[in-house]
């Protein structure tokens, strides 16, 4: 779990003193509703910060949200002991963490991120993928996949980011302390699903006993599989990938084939295009169509593969097969929260 936002309606407006009392707890943040006359506040709850000084803590136990919500129950009961507060869940964010192989860097996954963007665009009419840097650059840090043009107000979105760099930038004053407590931070790729929630309001007692994590995690994981991986879980629990991946690979190989015909310097081609977005598997398919002689194909592919590997190591300090890593990443998410 990560964060949720809830709306708390009361019989009387919350005073500044009450809000200050709530916000003295580092895991809670209050904003007033847009209509000042409304007797309600928006409360953002951070479950990682309930356990730790920073959001680096990974909430892997569904009991933690319950303990946190019970703390909120006591806080609100102390402030408004004789009122029947109304709680409405507005948004729930559930993160998944993928651990990169040792020595690999976040920017080395640009081919995988590009493939995810292609899949997302096929599954969403109002497609939007944003990154703080363009895909062509080497220092990509954050990607946002949203199903509406206005990312801030969209109903659902997926954010993938370099968690280690985010903490380096945002918590530079105590980054070393965070890293000491969470030594796996440099290997994390954070994949966060955020959705608006449309369900009836509940009492404070009902909210405390509502199992938020287990209510939404399966739906959120299915959302990830469909929109980023073109995959779904079979009845046997295996991950099955769809036809969209194959069609993307075929389109990619056609573009590679076009470049192969027009480039005289094949190594220059690989240096320019592979570093941008095309995968080695797409090149392999194209080479088979480009060379009629199998021995010529074998020679060309092995030379190019060696060159790509050398270049990849030069850029990122490590070489991965992006197609295999893509499948590995999807499968790891099945196990992340002991998904049944």
């Amino acid at each position: 779990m990560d964060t949720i936002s809830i709306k708390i309606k009361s019989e009387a407006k919350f005073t500044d003193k009450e809000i200050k009392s709530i916000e003295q707890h580092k895991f809670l943040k209050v904003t007033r509703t847009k209509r000042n006359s409304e007797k309600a506040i928006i409360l953002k709850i951070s479950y990682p910060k309930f356990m730790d000084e920073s959001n680096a803590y990974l909430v892997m136990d569904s009991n933690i949200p319950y303990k946190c919500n019970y703390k909120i129950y006591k806080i609100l009961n102390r402030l408004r002991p004789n009122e029947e507060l109304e709680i409405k869940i507005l948004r729930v964010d559930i993160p998944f963490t993928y651990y990169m192989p040792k020595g690999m860097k976040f920017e080395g996954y640009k081919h995988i991120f590009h493939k995810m963007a292609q899949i997302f665009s096929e599954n969403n009419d109002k497609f939007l993928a944003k990154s703080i840097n363009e895909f062509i650059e080497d220092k990509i840090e954050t990607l946002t996949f949203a199903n509406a043009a206005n990312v801030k107000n969209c109903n659902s979105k997926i954010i993938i980011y370099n968690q280690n760099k985010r903490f380096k930038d945002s918590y530079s004053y105590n980054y070393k302390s965070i890293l000491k407590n969470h030594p796996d931070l440099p290997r994390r790729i954070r994949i966060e699903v955020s959705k608006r929630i449309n369900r009836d309001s509940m009492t404070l007692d009902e909210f405390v006993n509502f199992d938020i994590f287990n209510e939404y995690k399966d739906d959120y994981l299915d959302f990830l599989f469909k929109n980023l991986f073109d995959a779904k879980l079979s009845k046997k629990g295996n991950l099955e990938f769809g036809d969209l991946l194959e069609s993307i690979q075929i389109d990619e190989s056609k573009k590679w084939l076009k470049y192969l015909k027009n480039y005289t310097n094949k190594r220059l081609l690989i240096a320019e295009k592979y570093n941008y977005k095309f995968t080695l598997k797409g090149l392999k398919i194209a080479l088979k169509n480009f060379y009629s002689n199998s021995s010529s194909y074998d020679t060309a592919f092995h030379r190019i593969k060696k060159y790509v590997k050398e270049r990849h190591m030069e850029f990122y300090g490590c070489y991965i097969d992006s197609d295999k890593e893509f499948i590995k990443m999807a499968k790891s998410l099945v196990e992340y929260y002991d998904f049944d």
Side-chain angles (χ1 to χ4, degrees):
M1 285 293 296
D2 191 52
T3 61
I4 69 166
S5 293
I6 62 173
K7 186 177 184 180
I8 306 171
K9 292 188 74 171
S10 181
E11 296 172 4
K13 286 179 67 175
F14 283 85
T15 65
D16 291 342
K17 184 178 180 180
E18 286 175 317
I19 290 174
K20 189 175 180 180
S21 175
I22 295 170
E23 286 194 322
Q24 72 176 334
H25 303 278
K26 64 182 182 298
F27 62 95
L28 300 177
K29 183 178 180 181
V30 177
T31 55
R32 292 193 182 273
T33 52
K34 289 182 180 179
R35 288 180 291 176
N36 242 357
S37 59
E38 193 172 1
K39 299 167 185 177
I41 56 172
I42 308 298
L43 183 64
K44 187 174 182 180
I45 305 163
S46 170
Y47 294 119
K49 283 191 175 181
F50 175 70
M51 300 296 295
D52 194 43
E53 288 295 323
S54 75
N55 278 323
Y57 186 91
L58 299 179
V59 179
M60 303 294 290
D61 184 346
S62 60
N63 288 320
I64 291 174
Y66 170 79
K67 291 176 182 177
C68 179
N69 292 348
Y70 184 68
K71 176 72 173 178
I72 294 166
Y73 171 87
K74 292 197 292 185
I75 293 168
L76 294 174
N77 259 337
R78 188 173 64 250
L79 293 174
R80 301 290 177 97
N82 300 315
E83 290 187 26
E84 189 66 40
L85 298 175
E86 182 182 301
I87 310 294
K88 186 172 179 60
I89 300 174
L90 302 179
R91 185 175 284 275
V92 173
D93 299 347
I94 296 181
F96 300 86
T97 301
Y98 178 72
Y99 291 96
M100 296 179 285
K102 288 183 179 179
M104 194 59 196
K105 296 180 181 179
F106 184 84
E107 56 266 27
Y109 282 70
K110 71 170 71 176
H111 296 102
I112 294 174
F113 298 149
H114 190 271
K115 183 174 289 187
M116 289 175 174
Q118 288 176 292
I119 294 170
F120 191 86
S121 65
E122 292 290 337
N123 283 299
N124 296 275
D125 294 333
K126 295 179 179 178
F127 159 64
L128 183 67
K130 284 189 173 182
S131 66
I132 63 167
N133 290 348
E134 296 300 324
F135 279 112
I136 198 168
E137 297 185 16
D138 286 343
K139 297 299 180 183
I140 192 167
E141 295 163 12
T142 304
L143 297 102
T144 302
F145 302 87
N147 64 353
N150 191 337
V151 176
K152 287 185 178 180
N153 295 319
C154 66
N155 290 324
S156 58
K157 61 184 175 183
I158 302 168
I159 302 173
I160 301 177
Y161 59 91
N162 184 342
Q163 197 174 31
N164 184 52
K165 181 156 188 12
R166 183 170 288 191
F167 280 107
K168 266 186 180 178
D169 295 343
S170 303
Y171 297 87
S172 55
Y173 60 93
N174 67 338
Y175 170 73
K176 289 183 179 179
S177 174
I178 294 171
L179 189 61
K180 185 179 179 180
N181 293 328
H182 307 281
D184 62 346
L185 198 58
R187 292 182 55 207
R188 294 184 194 175
I189 291 181
R190 187 81 155 181
I191 307 173
E192 193 171 288
V193 180
S194 176
K195 285 190 178 188
R196 275 186 180 156
I197 303 301
N198 184 20
R199 68 183 305 132
D200 293 338
S201 300
M202 57 183 78
T203 65
L204 187 56
D205 286 334
E206 288 171 334
F207 171 69
V208 171
N209 292 296
F210 181 60
D211 190 348
I212 297 173
F213 174 66
N214 284 309
E215 178 72 18
Y216 294 111
K217 72 168 176 110
D218 292 5
D219 173 67
Y220 277 42
L221 195 51
D222 284 340
F223 183 76
L224 266 184
F225 287 152
K226 176 187 175 184
N227 286 286
L228 293 192
F229 296 97
D230 185 38
K232 62 181 180 180
L233 278 177
S234 68
K235 291 181 180 178
K236 295 180 179 180
N238 298 318
L239 205 56
E240 296 179 344
F241 294 89
D243 297 331
L244 183 55
L245 277 176
E246 188 176 346
S247 64
I248 287 173
Q249 203 74 65
I250 290 170
D251 288 342
E252 183 188 309
S253 67
K254 287 178 180 177
K255 292 176 183 176
W256 268 122
L257 189 58
K258 181 180 177 182
Y259 290 127
L260 284 167
K261 289 176 179 176
N262 295 331
Y263 270 67
T264 52
N265 188 334
K266 300 298 185 294
R267 289 195 171 189
L268 180 62
L269 161 70
I270 305 306
E272 289 182 6
K273 302 302 177 185
Y274 180 78
N275 188 42
Y276 175 40
K277 61 183 180 180
F278 297 128
T279 62
L280 199 58
K281 188 173 181 179
L283 176 61
K284 186 176 182 179
I285 297 169
L287 285 168
K288 284 186 177 179
N289 293 321
F290 188 74
Y291 290 102
S292 55
N293 188 300
S294 59
S295 61
S296 299
Y297 156 75
D298 288 336
T299 302
F301 180 69
H302 287 297
R303 284 179 178 174
I304 289 173
K305 186 177 180 180
K306 182 181 178 182
Y307 182 67
V308 167
K309 184 173 182 178
E310 289 169 353
R311 294 290 295 179
H312 204 58
M313 291 184 74
E314 179 184 331
F315 291 137
Y316 312 125
C318 182
Y319 171 75
I320 60 166
D321 184 320
S322 60
D323 296 288
K324 288 182 179 178
E325 190 71 7
F326 176 84
I327 303 296
K328 180 184 169 186
M329 183 181 288
K331 289 181 176 179
S332 75
L333 297 182
V334 181
E335 303 169 356
Y336 187 69
Y337 283 120
D338 295 322
F339 187 77
D340 294 322

